[in-house]
Each structure stands twice: as structure tokens, then as C-alpha cells.
Amino acid sequence: MTQPFTHLFAGNNLNRFSILRSNKTFLAASLTSPYTRFIALRALDPLLKPSESPKRVEIAWLTSATVQGAIDNGAFVALLGVDEEEEVEEFQIEKTNGQSMAVKGRAYWAVDMTPTSQDKGVIERINKELEESHGAQYSPLRQKLSELPWSRDTAILAQARAIVDWNTRNQFCPGCGRKTVSEEAGYKRVCPRASKDQQKATASSVDPEPKGEAQAVDEQQQPACLSLSGVHNFQYPRTDPVVIVAIVHPTDPNKILLGRQSRFPPGWYTCIAGFMEGGETLEEACRREVWEEAGVKVGPVFYHSSQPWPFPNSIMLGCIGMATTEEIDLGDQELEDAKWFTREQVLGAISPYESSSKDTPKRDDIQLRIPPPYAIAHQLIKAWAERWKGYNLADAKM
Amino acid sequence: MTQPFTHLFAGNNLNRFSILRSNKTFLAASLTSPYTRFIALRALDPLLKPSESPKRVEIAWLTSATVQGAIDNGAFVALLGVDEEEEVEEFQIEKTNGQSMAVKGRAYWAVDMTPTSQDKGVIERINKELEESHGAQYSPLRQKLSELPWSRDTAILAQARAIVDWNTRNQFCPGCGRKTVSEEAGYKRVCPRASKDQQKATASSVDPEPKGEAQAVDEQQQPACLSLSGVHNFQYPRTDPVVIVAIVHPTDPNKILLGRQSRFPPGWYTCIAGFMEGGETLEEACRREVWEEAGVKVGPVFYHSSQPWPFPNSIMLGCIGMATTEEIDLGDQELEDAKWFTREQVLGAISPYESSSKDTPKRDDIQLRIPPPYAIAHQLIKAWAERWKGYNLADAKM
């Protein structure tokens, strides 16, 4: 391809500055700065507002003044990063090695505006005001995918949703069941059942959540939780890798394998996808999924591109694979059907998304429907249909 | 490259047959079959035995007769899959749609031989026997990496370690803190705080752990845990995607950027690596990590290959990236040093691993040391050093 490729949810230009996640001075300054912008989520639904373009929406960015009351009442916040292209202010940062650095730009945070028992009144009042006076609305993300811009704003939303979701769903230590405490501006949750040394180290880091969840006081005499020994990956946000793959026919490169689940709209087919498992490569995961769902064996696999997919925390790893067998067997019954489609059928399925509405084929004439352009599946299918002239097999990885 | 590429921990040829994970008949039959083989872990250390080749080890495969006592006493087990190339037996499987299928091959399971309070005596006795009579030893995996075969046996070990580790570290529901129950032969852990309907559905699936951890009885009147609403990804094993990237100099393609941490041996440098975060593509994650650790800006990024890395549950996504700036700044202090190395220096660092010992340069003469061939970093560096003649920039993904 001649143009760099981007997907919906790609193109996040924030510098995440992970070193700032434990910098008390920066966190306090940027949380209250009038230049800082907040993305608000309620039960993971983002606050959106109508865009100037018809049938489009955009993020309703909030200021610290608007959300201060919610934060003061315990709303969860997470640092997203700094847009260095917006040189609105400068933060002087003292690094742990004693050196100082200047961070220029605009800070971005996520704020969870889901009412809870402790902060219900305040947060509900702010939400009501936002919806009534500003025309903004909390909307289920899946329903808005086709109305969102393919820009860094939507990519930042993906980041915000992933980090808020992970914190929401991981309130308790999976190692011992105790309530965990947020640290590092939303990027770590720590079990309070730490050893004294570990607690001491923990206390020196910064918790941007103003209200104490800590209950560690009476735990100090107990042995440390296993979450604090060895590699304790479960204290950090999870990102689930998913393989998604368009499969080319073993003898006719003008045919591609697509499948459908019973819940899909009529005629709708797409790429085969599934979560990676432990102990397999990207390419092995593609072969396993295609065999499990369609009974087709796959040889060489080519990575194409990836897409963050915040439902809730996936990274879609898009590939194109070469089948070595043709016969289809819906082995694990996850698919209702799978078929080999011709390039002509696929081009016919792409065209409604690219034509103005009057040129769109009538619904009855459509033999095949595929997902819209915001889905990486669409882009993989399109890449094959429009550009594929045969990969260099020597480049395939096993 | 002209040969398909494999890494240590790649090449797992088991058919994981995920549909069998909830098939009671298959699970019971394969757990007790004399043909089934078990990989044993104690505190995640695999049971290994000396290989016929000098200075090599191999997996000490166990039979159901050997581990039956441990399983009867509650040792955790997880189904790994079936090797269909070993046609030692045939299982007749009833599928959920009423159809039947024949599964031919040898079943493989993982068994956790870590003594716990309830099964201590039995498991300790079996372990002692294995070590004393059979010359097998539980060994820390990291210390044995250079002695393990690059074969499906070691790849199966990676799978076993990932799944046993995840079950060990996720005994409690992160949504509400209750003790979870293993399901689907080790590939799911369910919160007992389910609604009645959900408990009914749960009861029809199979738990290969014979001893009841369930404590759901008195919970039936409570509302369902949030782990059972929406996409409950935290009930499934996690696989953490890690980017690892060799960076080519912006103007001199004969130079590569490598970094070192203070804990490394003298002279040792390697590729920059780090965990992917929510809301970023593979390529964006590579750029972020290189900027965070070395202050170098990166443009086009090319995926090379991937390696399962069971420490504990990572998938290493190996890339080669093109720098757009040269100056190095050890921003987040994770690295002690980072440098541009020449192709000649890199070839000198590869040669000790490929020469017979008498040709190996003296330690004092080595200007640069890189990780051994079992690490994907070595393979990325080698790919650049030996074969890189300039990537097709048009193929780069943003």
C-alpha cells in the first residue's frame, strides 16, 4: 500500500508520559489547570455532542472547572497524556534522578462520571447540567461508531474507555480478594496486603484518587499477598490480543473465506477472529481460529495492521492468511455459516459504503454484506479485494 | 527471508480443541487414559530430565498412573490439547448439536504439582519419587532456556506455564473479591455470585477439578457480580502483548539502536521492549516505548515475528522500526544506556553464539554482547544485521 494506514481508534497523538503518572506535582497541577481537558464516561458511555457535520458526533471535552466537584467527591480519574502540539502551558518536572524537565502542551484526563453511592448527588447534578444546558449526551459507543471522526479524539476515547473499564472491573485483588487501591494515575492497582517494605514503597507513589480506599492498616502483620511476589502482571491494565484474519483460497486467489454468526443481519459475513491463547504465536493463533471455526487449514500468514478495540480492552491484530485446504467444517459451531466469496462479490459488498446513497444497490440485490469501514475486518477484506496481487511467500512467518 | 521462522516456545502442534474443554466424557476419558501425557509444574518450575545430548534437558512427560494420586487429592489440571499426529487412541465425542465426531491422537494435560495444605502429603511423596527414582528435577525455567529444545515440547511447556500461572494468580474475583471456581478444563474462572439463571448455565459445564471450591449456595439471593454482566474478559486467561523493536538509524542504515538496563551483565545491550497499553496500535506502541526509553522518534514500523514468552503470560510482538531522529535521551531512566551500534559490532556480538567455543572471541575483546538466540531480540537484531537491505517503505503501517 502506498499510504500509511490508519483505523478508527488509531492515531492517538498524546504523549502518555508514563514517568508523570507518579509525579505528584504534575498530577496536582494538571488536574486543576484551566487548560486541561477531560473525557467523561458514564457506565463506559462517552459524553458526546453533535458535530458541525450532519449525522456526526464528537467528544464533548470538559474543563477542570466542570468536573472538579465530581473529582472532589471521589470520581475516578486517569491521566491520558499530554498533547505537545497544543503549547498552551508548561509544567516544570523534577525527575527521580534530580534532573528537571519541561513538559509543554495540554494535559488530557479521563473522568468516570458513573454515579456511585458516595458521590451520587454531585455527579448526577453535573451530568444533568451537561445534558440539559450543553446538548451533550452519554451514548453507548457501539451505536455511535459510524458517526465518530477517524481522528486522535476518538483514539483518545479508546484509551480512556480501556483504562476506566479496567479499573471498574478490577476493584479486588485476584490473588487474595482484598479491595485494591489505584496508583500511578490509574495505571496500577495495588493489593493492600503488602509487606511493610512494600507498603513503604507504595506510600511514596501518588494516588490521584482523593478518597481513601486503603484498608491496609490492620494487614501489616500478615504475609504479603502473592500479587506482590514475582512478576505481578495482574496489577497492571490488561490488553487482550485478538487475531482477525482474511483467508485466501488454496488454489484460486480470487476467492476469500468469510463467516457469519447467527446474530448477524441477513447476508452479513466477515473475517474470522478470536482471542490469542497462552503459548502461541500470532500466526499460530490465526491458524487455530480458522480451523476451529471453519475447519480450513492455513499455511503462511501475513500481518497487515492493528486496531485498538475498546470493547473492553482488545487489540485487534489483522492478518491475511493462505489456506491449504478448501473444505469447510463449522467445527465449534461458533459460526452459522462460512463460505468462499469471489472478488466480484466482495467488491459489490464494499461499494455501498463508498457510493453516495442513490448509487447504492437495493437491499435485495446485495448477495453479500460486510462490516463497515470502521471495522478492521472491512479494511482487511478491502486490502485483499483491491490490492492483493499475491504476497511474497518468502516473507511469511511461521 | 527464505525459511519460515520459528522461535523457542513457538511450534506448538497440539490441536487445542476448545470445544472439548466442556465435554465431560472426553475430559474424564482423557484424564485417565494410559496414552495421555502430563507436563508437571511445581511453583511454575517444570519437571525436566537430562536429554541424550550433552548439556541439554527435555520435558519429563508423566502418565496418568503417576499423577492420579495428585489429581485425586485436588491438584489443578488443565487440558492442553491433542497431538493428532500420534494416533494412539480415538475418542468418540458427542457435540452440543447432537452430531458426533471422532478425535484421534494423544491427549496432553498440565498438572500443578505444587504442594498445598490440603494435598501436601500425597504430592510431596510423588514429587520425591519422581526426583529420586527417575532423575527428573523441577527447575526454574529461566535458568534452563539455553538447554531446552526448540521443538513442540518446549512450546507445550509455554502453554502449560501460562495457563497454570493464570489460574494460580487469579483465585479471587476481581469484580467482588469472592473465591472463583475453575471451569472449561482450566480456561475460565467463574465468580460464584451468579444469578440463578447463570448458576444453572454454569452447572451444566464441567469442572475438571474434583474438589469443590464452590461456595455459591448461600449467595443465590444476592445480585449477580459485575463479572457476569457485559463482556467479562477477566474470567478468561490473560495474554499480555509486549512490543519489542530493533530501531534503524535515520540516515545510516548500517546502525541500530540498542539499550541496556543496569541489571544486565557488562557490555550487554538489547532491543527496546514494553507492554502495549489500551488504545494504541502495535506500531504506536513501538514508537511510544522507544521515545520513553531512549528519546528517539520512530517513523515506519515493520512487524517481523512473534514469540510466546511465558514469564508469565506474554506474547512478544517483534518489529523493526525506522528512526527519524538520532539524539538519545534516557527519558524515563528505565535504561542505563542506549547507543547506536554498527553492523560490524553487531555481527561480532552474534558470532560467539554461532562459533564453536575455540573460535569465540575472548571476553575482553567483545565490544558488545546481545541476548542468546532463544530470545526474539537476538533474532530481530540478526535479521537486521544479516539480511536487511532496506524495507519497502510503502509497506509500513501507521
Side-chain angles (χ1 to χ4, degrees):
Chain A
M1 70 191 53
T2 50
Q3 289 297 312
F5 195 85
T6 55
H7 292 290
L8 179 71
F9 296 129
N12 189 334
N13 73 332
L14 297 188
N15 188 329
R16 296 181 183 221
F17 277 115
S18 61
I19 50 166
L20 298 182
R21 291 173 188 167
S22 51
N23 188 300
K24 205 168 179 165
T25 318
F26 171 81
L27 296 178
S30 73
L31 257 182
T32 51
S33 162
Y35 298 107
T36 295
R37 293 294 173 265
F38 291 81
I39 200 165
L41 300 168
R42 186 179 68 191
L44 292 183
D45 294 344
L47 186 70
L48 302 175
K49 63 178 189 181
S51 170
E52 284 179 18
S53 319
K55 292 191 183 177
R56 306 289 284 175
V57 292
E58 57 187 52
I59 312 295
W61 293 108
L62 305 180
T63 62
S64 53
T66 307
V67 297
Q68 196 62 53
I71 298 173
D72 288 347
N73 277 273
F76 172 81
V77 289
L79 176 65
L80 300 174
V82 175
D83 186 342
E84 295 172 298
E85 289 156 39
E86 303 179 82
E87 295 191 12
V88 293
E89 68 180 316
E90 182 169 325
F91 301 93
Q92 281 299 327
I93 307 301
E94 191 87 14
K95 291 207 281 187
T96 48
N97 61 0
Q99 293 173 354
S100 73
M101 65 186 276
V103 172
K104 277 186 207 170
R106 189 196 295 279
Y108 284 82
W109 287 75
V111 58
D112 185 3
M113 297 293 282
T114 312
T116 63
S117 53
Q118 54 179 184
D119 51 28
K120 210 175 166 194
V122 179
I123 290 183
E124 278 181 349
R125 184 171 46 70
I126 299 172
N127 283 342
K128 201 175 165 189
E129 212 171 281
L130 286 167
E131 295 196 323
E132 287 183 356
S133 322
H134 297 78
Q137 268 200 315
Y138 290 101
S139 308
L141 184 55
R142 277 201 185 268
Q143 295 174 17
K144 295 292 176 184
L145 290 178
S146 59
E147 298 171 44
L148 283 163
W150 288 33
S151 72
R152 65 118 212 195
D153 274 26
T154 305
I156 294 171
L157 165 58
Q159 181 190 355
R161 203 168 184 277
I163 194 74
V164 170
D165 177 81
W166 178 76
N167 278 277
T168 302
R169 290 174 178 272
N170 289 270
Q171 294 281 311
F172 295 85
C173 176
C176 72
R178 278 171 180 70
K179 195 129 178 29
T180 51
V181 180
S182 172
E183 285 193 3
E184 295 187 11
Y187 292 81
K188 190 174 184 180
R189 295 197 72 89
V190 176
C191 177
R193 193 176 167 189
S195 69
K196 281 185 183 176
D197 277 1
Q198 284 159 331
Q199 283 184 331
K200 210 170 159 189
T202 298
S204 69
S205 64
V206 173
D207 180 2
E209 287 183 277
K211 278 196 304 190
E213 290 181 352
Q215 44 180 219
V217 185
D218 61 333
E219 308 267 4
Q220 294 199 10
Q221 301 316 316
Q222 296 196 25
C225 167
L226 63 79
S227 73
L228 290 140
S229 67
V231 178
H232 34 289
N233 66 329
F234 54 177
Q235 297 193 334
Y236 295 96
R238 70 184 276 172
T239 305
D240 296 316
V242 174
V243 292
I244 180 162
V245 58
I247 296 296
V248 183
H249 191 277
T251 56
D252 181 355
N254 284 304
K255 286 185 181 163
I256 194 174
L257 177 71
L258 303 174
R260 61 171 276 111
Q261 294 177 20
S262 55
R263 64 184 175 86
F264 289 174
W268 180 296
Y269 285 75
T270 185
C271 294
I272 287 170
F275 289 99
M276 288 192 75
E277 294 199 349
E280 64 187 0
T281 65
L282 177 55
E283 296 77 15
E284 287 166 351
C286 288
R287 290 188 199 105
R288 175 182 52 75
E289 282 292 340
V290 175
W291 183 85
E292 279 179 6
E293 297 190 10
V296 168
K297 299 265 184 189
V298 175
V301 171
F302 304 84
Y303 170 79
H304 178 269
S305 58
S306 62
Q307 180 182 37
W309 196 244
F311 301 99
N313 294 315
S314 294
I315 172 71
M316 308 294 283
L317 297 161
C319 297
I320 297 180
M322 315 297 288
T324 59
T325 64
E326 179 178 0
E327 201 189 333
I328 290 166
D329 171 6
L330 305 173
D332 66 4
Q333 308 293 315
E334 198 168 311
L335 298 181
E336 177 190 74
D337 191 23
K339 268 186 203 164
W340 296 103
F341 290 93
T342 65
R343 191 180 307 264
E344 197 184 5
Q345 288 173 309
V346 167
L347 290 171
I350 292 170
S351 69
Y353 292 114
E354 303 192 339
S355 316
S356 62
S357 59
K358 61 180 175 178
D359 300 328
T360 304
K362 278 186 211 148
R363 197 154 164 156
D364 296 347
D365 299 340
I366 300 174
Q367 297 175 307
L368 166 67
R369 299 167 72 196
I370 63 168
Y374 62 67
I376 191 173
H378 181 103
Q379 302 299 337
L380 292 171
I381 294 168
K382 190 176 166 184
W384 167 80
E386 294 186 351
R387 288 179 284 231
W388 191 86
K389 292 186 186 68
Y391 287 92
N392 179 5
L393 278 184
D395 282 342
K397 311 301 186 311
M398 302 299 280
Chain B
M1 73 192 51
T2 51
Q3 289 297 313
F5 195 83
T6 54
H7 293 291
L8 179 71
F9 295 130
N12 189 333
N13 73 332
L14 296 189
N15 188 330
R16 295 181 183 221
F17 277 116
S18 61
I19 50 167
L20 298 182
R21 292 173 187 166
S22 51
N23 188 300
K24 204 170 180 164
T25 318
F26 171 80
L27 296 178
S30 73
L31 257 183
T32 51
S33 162
Y35 299 107
T36 296
R37 293 293 174 266
F38 292 80
I39 200 165
L41 301 167
R42 186 179 69 192
L44 293 182
D45 293 345
L47 186 70
L48 302 175
K49 62 178 190 181
S51 170
E52 285 180 18
S53 319
K55 293 191 183 176
R56 306 289 284 175
V57 292
E58 57 186 52
I59 311 295
W61 293 109
L62 304 181
T63 62
S64 52
T66 308
V67 298
Q68 196 62 52
I71 297 173
D72 288 346
N73 277 275
F76 172 81
V77 288
L79 176 65
L80 301 174
V82 175
D83 186 341
E84 295 173 299
E85 288 156 40
E86 302 179 82
E87 296 191 11
V88 293
E89 68 180 316
E90 181 169 325
F91 301 94
Q92 281 300 324
I93 307 300
E94 191 87 13
K95 292 207 280 186
T96 49
N97 62 0
Q99 292 173 355
S100 72
M101 65 187 275
V103 171
K104 278 186 207 167
R106 190 196 296 279
Y108 284 81
W109 288 75
V111 58
D112 185 1
M113 298 292 282
T114 313
T116 63
S117 51
Q118 54 178 185
D119 50 28
K120 212 177 164 189
V122 179
I123 290 182
E124 279 182 349
R125 184 172 45 73
I126 299 172
N127 283 342
K128 201 174 162 189
E129 212 171 282
L130 286 167
E131 295 195 325
E132 287 184 357
S133 321
H134 296 78
Q137 268 199 314
Y138 290 101
S139 308
L141 184 54
R142 276 198 186 270
Q143 294 174 17
K144 295 293 176 183
L145 291 178
S146 60
E147 297 172 44
L148 283 162
W150 289 34
S151 73
R152 65 116 212 198
D153 274 26
T154 305
I156 295 172
L157 166 58
Q159 181 189 356
R161 204 168 184 277
I163 195 74
V164 170
D165 176 81
W166 179 75
N167 278 278
T168 303
R169 290 174 177 271
N170 289 271
Q171 294 281 312
F172 295 85
C173 177
C176 72
R178 277 169 182 71
K179 193 126 175 34
T180 52
V181 180
S182 172
E183 285 194 2
E184 293 186 12
Y187 292 81
K188 190 173 185 180
R189 295 197 72 88
V190 177
C191 177
R193 194 176 167 189
S195 70
K196 281 186 184 175
D197 277 3
Q198 283 159 331
Q199 283 184 331
K200 212 170 155 188
T202 298
S204 68
S205 66
V206 172
D207 179 2
E209 286 182 279
K211 279 197 302 193
E213 290 180 352
Q215 46 181 214
V217 184
D218 61 332
E219 307 268 4
Q220 294 199 10
Q221 300 315 314
Q222 295 194 26
C225 167
L226 63 79
S227 73
L228 290 140
S229 67
V231 178
H232 34 287
N233 65 332
F234 53 179
Q235 296 192 336
Y236 295 97
R238 70 184 276 173
T239 305
D240 296 316
V242 174
V243 292
I244 181 163
V245 57
I247 296 296
V248 183
H249 191 277
T251 57
D252 181 356
N254 284 303
K255 285 185 182 165
I256 194 174
L257 177 71
L258 302 174
R260 63 171 275 111
Q261 295 178 19
S262 55
R263 63 183 174 85
F264 290 174
W268 180 295
Y269 286 76
T270 186
C271 294
I272 288 171
F275 289 99
M276 289 191 75
E277 294 199 349
E280 64 186 1
T281 65
L282 178 55
E283 296 77 13
E284 288 166 351
C286 288
R287 290 190 199 101
R288 175 182 52 75
E289 281 293 339
V290 175
W291 183 85
E292 279 179 6
E293 297 190 10
V296 168
K297 299 266 185 190
V298 176
V301 171
F302 304 84
Y303 169 78
H304 178 271
S305 59
S306 62
Q307 179 182 37
W309 196 243
F311 300 98
N313 293 315
S314 294
I315 172 72
M316 308 295 282
L317 297 161
C319 296
I320 297 181
M322 315 295 291
T324 59
T325 66
E326 178 179 0
E327 201 189 333
I328 290 167
D329 172 5
L330 306 173
D332 65 5
Q333 309 294 315
E334 198 168 311
L335 298 181
E336 178 190 73
D337 191 23
K339 268 185 201 163
W340 296 102
F341 290 93
T342 64
R343 190 180 308 265
E344 197 185 3
Q345 288 173 308
V346 168
L347 290 171
I350 292 170
S351 68
Y353 292 113
E354 303 192 340
S355 315
S356 62
S357 60
K358 60 181 175 174
D359 301 329
T360 305
K362 277 188 212 148
R363 198 153 165 159
D364 296 347
D365 299 340
I366 300 175
Q367 298 175 307
L368 166 68
R369 298 168 71 195
I370 64 168
Y374 63 69
I376 190 173
H378 181 104
Q379 302 299 337
L380 291 171
I381 294 168
K382 189 176 166 184
W384 166 79
E386 293 186 351
R387 289 179 281 232
W388 192 85
K389 292 184 185 70
Y391 286 93
N392 180 5
L393 278 183
D395 281 341
K397 310 301 185 312
M398 302 298 281

